[in-house]
Amino acid sequence: MKKTLFFASLMMAAQLNFAQEWKPVGSHILTPWGEKVTAQKPHPEYPRPQLVRTNNWQNLNGLWKYAITPVNTKEIPQQWDGSILVPYAIESALSGVGKEVGKDKALWYTNTVTLDKSVNKNNVLLHFGAVDWQCDVYVNNQLVGRHEGGFDPFTMDVTSYLKKGAKQEIALRVWDPTDDGPQPRGKQVNRPNGIWYTPVTGIWQTVWLESVPKTYIVKTKQTPKLDEGVLAFQATVAGSQAGDEIKVRALNGTQVIKEQVGQPNADFELSVPNLEAWSPSNPKLYDLEIQLLRKGKVIDQARSYFAMRKISMEKDENGIQRMLLNNKFTFQYGPLDQGWWPDGLHTAPTDEALKFDVIKTKEMGFNMIRKHIKVEPARWYRYCDSIGMLVWQDMPSGDLGGNHWDMQPGKISGGNRDKARSQESEGYYRKEWKTIMDVLHNYPSIVIWVPFNEAWGQFKTKEITEWTMANDPSRLVNSASGGNFMETGHILDIHNYPDAAMPDPKIFGANQVLALGEFGGLGLPIDGHSWQQKDNWGYQSFKNKTELLERYKQLIRDLTRLIPMGLSAAVYTQTTDVEVETNGLMTYDRKVVKMPEAELNTAHQALYQAPTK
């Protein structure tokens, strides 16, 4: 007994020393949450809120070993450079490494995992929230598979690769060319400057294991049909057999309001009696209990949720297209939200931090967020659903250059200004955009898909827009936000800095909803809270908070006057400072709110109360 306790003490001491090796690196500012991060299971929360099984999963976040090797290294390294804290990208402060990799190097990870008793070896799935960009996964020195895509989650069945005993070896090889490749990469560049930011390489969302039955629910698809008072539902099931059934219960709080039985991998509908429509002022969510039945026996089950809401467009009494929420005009106004962090880059330091931005946006009186050139972890969308924020979701851009950008307000581009992208480049775009739309489909807060931004890699505009519309007819599509405008999609969206502007409603209002997709960008650097001490910028800079607030209120007054003329939505740049950009409503470290939340909220009410004629 004493010997056992002695060895247990040694193991605990070794683990403690291993954890003590980690600390944030670099000289940049940290957020309040980043200052408190430890190496013990960062982001421990269950990562998949739309399909919840909480009894048989294992979080693998924490300290892994890493190595940077020449790009042509294909064998798992025998020597490692040190420890890295997952799920923070290697370039970030919170990774504990702070190194860049580049197209000529490969980034390797390894971890010895001790399987929890709750993880049954009969069928084990290895999940990755996001890994940027090309990722080869090895389990016990065997190649399981490859995934390409920096913003979409992926899963690999590793059951047949497990060995006897609890300990399993997991290794990854990651290659990411950043802006030297044609893949979607958002705002990352190898040489950060201006509106282009630090590279993000490797694991940047939660890694986790899940034990499932041989026949199990892979995913669900939930589409509200507000006018019919029903929820369209489908459960994708792996390994289903003839006679299997899906039973779904809809709950309002603890009360079961509807129970419906359908077939696996087939569409069916649940009526929602006495429904409450979801909106920013009433973010009503209903719970779902989902069971997979075989001969009356439950063989798999999960929990989810849904909301009843509708996004649509319709002409007003002046013949101008308006964007409607639940069949009523609601002016949509929100910040451009890029989701970057000074300590975690693409990764919020904690789940509390992830939620903070949404809460602050709500307190400021916005009812919408444009998630700009990035996809967030699933939990971020869950917070938008529950707090009540409409979301415009961008596709992260890639393969930039070669476009002729025509951004004259209210002018449709003459001729074909689409970029000619290679078959490889187009394939990467289509595959990732389709996956992003599919995995985010169930989040009711998302009302707009944005395939392109400002001609950044914009190609086959009409074809891609119509393909996006066909993939999800339940939402509107903003074809090219501030980009090369073509008569396709539901929305005509211009960018104009710093002042409020709109397309000419007499020319364009009859066919498309009119939106101001970016404006503002008012800058105010705050000493001690900036990414760097000098050479910061905004689209228009101010010396103090008073001047900033006065100019912002003028923008809101100007914006309010455009609503009766036909404007349906606007996006202010931006939620926070990002690296050298100091045009945020908050500083990059989130420690300073530059304009009082209450005053912003009061000013914004004029937008929602503005007449439409």
Side-chain angles (χ1 to χ4, degrees), residues 285-329:
L285 301 178
Y286 296 89
D287 290 322
L288 282 176
E289 294 178 351
I290 309 155
Q291 295 181 330
L292 175 59
L293 305 176
R294 179 171 295 161
K295 297 179 181 179
K297 181 181 178 181
V298 177
I299 59 174
D300 190 23
Q301 57 188 337
R303 292 182 288 110
S304 188
Y305 69 93
F306 69 97
M308 298 300 293
R309 67 99 185 90
K310 176 185 177 183
I311 186 72
S312 60
M313 57 187 281
E314 187 177 292
K315 288 184 180 179
D316 64 14
E317 58 269 35
N318 300 316
I320 296 173
Q321 293 286 358
R322 292 287 189 173
M323 189 153 49
L324 308 182
L325 179 66
N326 303 329
N327 297 316
K328 296 180 181 179
F329 174 67

Side-chain angles (χ1 to χ4, degrees), residues 42 82 131 149 229 246 260 300 318 323 360 426 447 477 533 577:
V131 181
I246 292 288
Q260 189 71 41
D300 190 23
N318 300 316
M323 189 153 49
K360 278 296 171 187
E426 180 176 341
V447 291
V477 176
Q533 291 306 306
D577 298 345

Side-chain angles (χ1 to χ4, degrees), residues 56-72:
N56 51 357
W57 77 289
Q58 182 177 348
N59 191 312
L60 301 184
N61 293 344
L63 285 169
W64 293 43
K65 293 183 184 298
Y66 83 94
I68 299 174
T69 70
V71 70
N72 56 4

